Amino acid sequence: MDLRRLHLLVELSRLGSMRAVADTHGLTTSTVSQQVAALAREVGTSLVEPDGRRVRLTPAGRRLADHAVTILAAADAARVDLDPAAEPAGTLRVGGFSTGIRTSLLPVVAELERTHPAVEVLISEYEPAEALALLAEDDLDLALTYDHNLAPVALPPTMSASPLWTAAWSLAVPAAPDLPDASVGFARWADRDWIVNSRNTADEDVLRTLGALAGFTPRVRHRIDSLELVEDLVLAGQGLALLPAASRPRAGVSLLELRDPPVLLTAYAVTRLGRERWSPLRLLLDRLAAQDAGPQDAP
């Protein structure tokens, strides 16, 4: 089977139309159709079938697309790992959330500059969904992402994730002398307004899960990306928010422990399947895994 044709089949499975595949890869729709038809002849079975004015994968086409993910990952690994014992060298494109970069990546980059000057690391800040999309398009070599125990993220089979650290989250409220202790249920806050992240829905998903378990639907009023601005709004009585338990909020903001259930954030280093054996990327992953670090503030 031609690997280029397998790649187009995987893209058709992912994007859903011949035109989208053609536009993404700078081809004509006719070329994509011809290549998929040629692949069908190679395997001896129909891979697509009409679906209105478009086409969709047949059951055999879906199965072959699933196999193709593994086949293409193995081919990628073979290309980039011709000499696994070679001295790591090259440019690594890393994207991720700010705390992951600050806590996990920057200490490693400083070390690599001393020990492996031939390895260059380019850093960009992205929320997890943004970083994973760029990784899928091969515009990043490594994505630093996170999810929560109450809002897990399912990765596609083309990606591999390694956990880095886990941190507890708390409830941020205006400081007051009569604040409840951790044994008071989450339902106490049912009538309050809430502040969530404007660039990622993870904390809102967690909040809505906590509310559902406590029997209410949280009323989200503000969407804010900056930790400092979230604290300003909490302090001004504009709403409550979920913040990392390890953060040190300003005077007038208190963090209450969440116990039943706890809210835990886990950070990950995510790569495309098969790429993790590329020597400079393997070096970076090993250094990240060797750290005993945790977050100091919010993503």
Side-chain angles (χ1 to χ4, degrees):
M1 289 177 286
D2 188 300
L3 293 182
R4 293 169 299 176
R5 293 168 182 164
L6 282 177
H7 179 67
L8 291 177
L9 183 70
V10 171
E11 290 294 85
L12 179 57
S13 174
R14 183 174 71 89
L15 298 174
S17 75
M18 297 276 193
R19 179 180 294 276
V21 175
D23 291 344
T24 299
H25 294 278
L27 303 171
T28 66
T29 304
S30 175
T31 298
V32 175
S33 177
Q34 291 170 8
Q35 293 299 308
V36 172
L39 180 60
R41 290 193 296 271
E42 288 179 349
V43 299
T45 188
S46 177
L47 300 176
V48 296
E49 60 188 6
D51 183 21
R53 299 180 63 183
R54 304 170 67 178
V55 298
R56 63 186 177 192
L57 295 183
T58 63
R62 291 195 298 271
R63 291 198 301 274
L64 182 57
D66 289 341
H67 284 298
V69 169
T70 302
I71 293 169
L72 293 171
D76 274 346
R79 292 189 185 100
V80 300
D81 198 28
L82 295 177
D83 185 6
E87 181 68 16
T91 299
L92 291 169
R93 303 161 300 169
V94 182
F97 68 110
S98 60
T99 300
I101 292 172
R102 184 183 304 115
T103 301
S104 298
L105 184 62
L106 287 183
V108 170
V109 170
E111 177 192 358
L112 293 184
E113 287 177 346
R114 296 190 304 270
T115 61
H116 293 80
V119 175
E120 181 183 22
V121 181
L122 306 181
I123 305 172
S124 301
E125 182 188 355
Y126 298 110
E127 284 295 322
E130 299 167 330
L132 292 175
L134 290 168
L135 188 67
E137 294 295 330
D138 203 19
D139 291 325
L140 289 177
D141 300 304
L142 175 67
L144 297 176
T145 71
Y146 65 86
D147 68 7
H148 295 83
N149 60 323
L150 298 185
V153 174
L155 293 178
T158 54
M159 296 182 186
S160 174
S162 301
L164 296 176
W165 42 261
T166 296
W169 274 48
S170 296
L171 174 62
V173 302
D178 58 345
L179 284 177
D181 61 30
S183 64
V184 174
F186 199 73
R188 171 189 173 91
W189 314 102
D191 63 343
R192 305 298 291 271
D193 292 327
W194 292 88
I195 308 160
V196 298
N197 194 313
S198 61
R199 293 176 58 203
N200 185 22
T201 63
D203 66 328
E204 183 174 353
D205 294 339
V206 170
L207 172 61
R208 294 193 181 282
T209 298
L210 290 172
L213 292 172
F216 72 95
T217 300
R219 186 172 61 245
V220 174
R221 186 177 178 189
H222 306 292
R223 300 180 185 277
I224 304 295
D225 182 50
S226 162
L227 167 63
E228 291 77 13
L229 186 53
V230 169
E231 292 185 6
D232 286 341
L233 267 66
V234 172
L235 188 59
Q238 290 295 307
L240 310 183
L242 301 177
L243 293 178
S247 61
R248 298 178 178 84
R250 67 192 61 191
V253 176
S254 294
L255 297 181
L256 303 183
E257 181 183 9
L258 295 169
R259 287 186 182 175
D260 188 22
V263 176
L264 302 174
L265 176 148
T266 299
Y268 301 91
V270 186
T271 63
R272 285 167 60 94
L273 191 65
R275 298 292 178 88
E276 67 275 7
R277 297 184 62 192
W278 180 37
S279 58
L281 184 54
R282 180 73 265 158
L283 174 68
L284 179 58
L285 290 170
D286 288 344
R287 293 293 191 276
L288 290 171
Q291 290 187 107
D292 182 18
Q296 301 304 312
D297 55 18

